[in-house]
């Protein structure tokens, strides 16, 4: 543990056109690792709501906000200290 200026990257499988890329701080990924957050289960209803008429910028902004709110709640429910969470 400790602070490192070196970013950690995990890409698998390679990104393809149309994929959703989530860039986030360890506060989010720790929740996934601790099994507080099931990322595919969380994303499924959001991704189904996209239509060709969807304003993509609004969708992404709302998704990031919901992801942060949900993750913070999951940390509280698990009685764990929540690290800072940044999602892009």
């Amino acid at each position: 543990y400790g602070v490192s200026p070196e970013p950690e990257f995990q890409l698998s499988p390679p990104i393809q056109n149309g994929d959703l890329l989530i860039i986030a701080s360890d506060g989010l990924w720790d929740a996934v690792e601790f099994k507080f957050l099931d990322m595919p289960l969380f994303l499924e209803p959001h991704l189904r709501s996209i239509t060709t008429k969807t304003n993509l910028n609004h969708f992404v902004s709302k998704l990031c906000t919901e992801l942060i709110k949900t993750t913070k709640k999951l940390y509280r429910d698990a009685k764990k200290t929540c690290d800072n969470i940044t999602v892009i």
Side-chain angles (χ1 to χ4, degrees):
Y1 291 107
V3 177
S4 171
E6 297 297 318
E8 180 181 323
F9 293 94
Q10 295 178 7
L11 291 177
S12 59
I15 299 170
Q16 299 188 9
N17 191 22
D19 285 352
L20 177 66
L21 173 65
I22 299 174
I23 301 171
S25 64
D26 61 341
L28 174 80
W29 299 121
D30 286 350
V32 173
E33 185 177 320
F34 296 150
K35 306 288 190 241
F36 298 158
L37 179 63
D38 182 332
M39 188 64 75
L41 188 62
F42 172 84
L43 291 175
E44 184 180 342
H46 296 284
L47 295 176
R48 274 191 274 130
S49 72
I50 296 177
T51 67
T52 56
K53 296 179 182 178
T54 298
N55 177 327
L56 194 56
N57 289 336
H58 176 72
F59 170 79
V60 170
S61 177
K62 183 178 176 187
L63 180 65
C64 288
T65 299
E66 287 299 314
L67 197 50
I68 291 169
K69 285 171 35 178
T70 300
T71 303
K72 284 182 176 182
K73 181 184 181 315
L74 292 167
Y75 270 102
R76 279 193 308 273
D77 291 351
K79 297 183 180 12
K80 297 283 186 183
T81 303
C82 181
D83 196 355
N84 63 327
I85 302 170
T86 303
V87 180
I88 300 173

